[in-house]
Amino acid sequence: QVQLVESGGGLVQAGGSLRLSCAASESILTFNDMGWYRQAPGKQRELVASITNGGRTNYADSVKGRFTISRDNAKNTMYLQMNSLKPEDTAVYTCNTRRGQLYINYWGQGTQVTVSS
């Protein structure tokens, strides 16, 4: 069973930055891809950014140019650098990975990001 542990969330003023980390219990090279999702109160969960095993990235339009997803295979960790944060970025951010031919999903517990205006 893959375990994912997020860290790095917190309270920041608008325009500030945060870096989220997602540490995996196994080699992330065994994963098909990894991603960050977020869910704000009263809203559906949305994909923020993803990165494949080959390093290909994808971003939601709302975060393009402000967020950067990356991975450190040696540390089995994925990151989300968030710059120029806005109040609408406030949400619980959750790490996700998919593995195998069936693309089985694994989820972290989430970390709260709050951006004050």
Side-chain angles (χ1 to χ4, degrees):
Q1 182 77 6
V2 176
Q3 294 188 5
L4 303 171
V5 179
E6 301 98 335
S7 61
L11 173 64
V12 65
Q13 288 188 332
S17 299
L18 283 174
R19 188 177 82 154
L20 305 182
S21 299
C22 172
S25 59
E26 303 179 23
S27 171
I28 63 175
L29 291 173
T30 67
F31 303 155
N32 299 341
D33 53 27
M34 300 184 75
W36 288 97
Y37 287 75
R38 69 184 181 186
Q39 187 167 20
K43 294 188 177 181
Q44 288 190 331
R45 184 169 60 192
E46 64 172 344
L47 176 64
V48 176
S50 63
I51 184 167
T52 68
N53 203 12
R56 184 180 304 170
T57 59
N58 179 58
Y59 296 93
D61 288 342
S62 59
V63 307
K64 282 181 180 176
R66 300 189 297 123
F67 291 9
T68 302
I69 190 170
S70 63
R71 52 191 286 163
D72 185 330
N73 294 334
K75 295 182 178 180
N76 295 324
T77 301
M78 175 181 66
Y79 303 97
L80 184 67
Q81 178 66 44
M82 305 185 294
N83 299 329
S84 302
L85 283 162
K86 305 175 180 179
E88 51 263 44
D89 293 318
T90 295
V92 175
Y93 285 70
T94 305
C95 173
N96 166 269
T97 188
R98 300 185 296 176
R99 188 169 68 176
Q101 292 184 338
L102 298 179
Y103 280 75
I104 296 174
N105 278 284
Y106 298 92
W107 297 91
Q109 291 187 324
T111 185
Q112 177 70 46
V113 171
T114 303
V115 184
S116 63
S117 57

